[in-house]
């Protein structure tokens, strides 16, 4: 006997969550492909970009700051930062006052890679979102979803 599941829609494409998931997956695949030539994954880029952004505003940045800014799991941030450190893109050191905290700095090579990645991401984003007629309105709607 076949068991039947009841959905609130006739086909998945009628569900906003499904469409958002599909869009996100497609966008992430595109971002990963665009960044692979410079040896970064999209997630590594996000963490490196968060660090770069936070360093524009602060004298020092902790792993916790990066996790909060990027809205990502602290353990994942730690793992990614270890990889970025092994690749020579960041330096992690003990916080002077809080031994549990790690201060993160970006190396000259990290800045160079991040600048390249920003240019790559800008171009990839422009191509991906070119079908959207009113980008300002779309941005506002996305902001409404995450606020």
């Amino acid at each position: 006997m076949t068991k039947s599941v009841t959905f609130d829609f006739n086909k998945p494409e009628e569900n906003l969550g499904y469409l958002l998931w599909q869009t996100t997956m497609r966008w992430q695949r595109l971002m990963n492909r665009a960044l692979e030539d410079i040896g970064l994954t999209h997630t590594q880029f996000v963490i490196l970009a968060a660090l770069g952004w936070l360093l524009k505003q602060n004298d020092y940045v902790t792993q916790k700051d990066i996790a909060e800014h990027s809205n990502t799991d602290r353990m994942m941030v730690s793992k990614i930062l270890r990889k970025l450190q092994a690749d020579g893109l960041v330096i992690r050191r003990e916080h002077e006052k809080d031994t549990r905290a790690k201060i993160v700095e970006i190396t000259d090579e990290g800045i160079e890679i991040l600048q390249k990645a920003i240019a790559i991401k800008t171009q990839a984003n422009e191509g991906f979102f070119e079908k959207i007629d009113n980008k300002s309105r779309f941005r506002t709607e996305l902001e409404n979803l995450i606020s």
Side-chain angles (χ1 to χ4, degrees):
M1 180 169 111
T2 304
K3 298 191 181 201
S4 178
V5 177
T6 303
F7 291 94
D8 295 336
F9 42 84
N10 293 319
K11 58 184 182 174
E13 293 77 12
E14 294 174 2
N15 181 277
L16 289 176
Y18 174 83
L19 291 173
L20 181 61
W21 175 255
Q22 291 297 310
T23 303
T24 301
M25 299 297 2
R26 181 172 285 172
W27 178 76
Q28 286 183 356
R29 280 192 303 272
L30 176 66
M31 296 302 112
N32 277 319
R33 277 195 303 266
L35 292 167
E36 70 186 358
D37 287 343
I38 60 169
L40 284 182
T41 66
H42 182 249
T43 306
Q44 290 168 341
F45 166 79
V46 169
I47 299 307
L48 196 58
L51 172 60
W53 187 263
L54 290 168
L55 284 170
K56 288 178 59 138
Q57 304 165 357
N58 303 292
D59 292 334
Y60 68 89
V61 174
T62 65
Q63 289 183 183
K64 179 183 174 190
D65 296 331
I66 295 168
E68 288 174 357
H69 178 78
S70 60
N71 197 24
T72 52
D73 178 73
R74 287 186 195 176
M75 292 304 295
M76 184 185 75
V77 169
S78 178
K79 181 179 175 183
I80 291 169
L81 287 172
R82 280 194 299 274
K83 170 70 169 120
L84 294 173
Q85 183 176 17
D87 292 344
L89 304 181
V90 302
I91 298 168
R92 296 182 317 146
R93 59 182 170 83
E94 298 295 324
H95 191 285
E96 291 177 7
K97 294 181 174 81
D98 183 355
T99 57
R100 297 169 298 162
K102 296 269 191 204
I103 301 294
V104 186
E105 300 170 1
I106 191 166
T107 65
D108 290 341
E109 184 180 355
I111 291 171
E112 185 178 323
I113 290 291
L114 180 56
Q115 287 302 152
K116 288 178 183 177
I118 289 168
I120 290 167
K121 285 270 300 174
T122 298
Q123 184 177 6
N125 273 333
E126 286 173 1
F128 185 82
F129 293 113
E130 70 184 352
K131 294 179 183 177
I132 296 175
D133 295 327
N134 189 337
K135 289 177 183 60
S136 177
R137 170 73 183 192
F138 184 66
R139 183 180 298 107
T140 299
E141 296 295 341
L142 289 174
E143 289 171 350
N144 287 340
L145 289 174
I146 62 172
S147 63

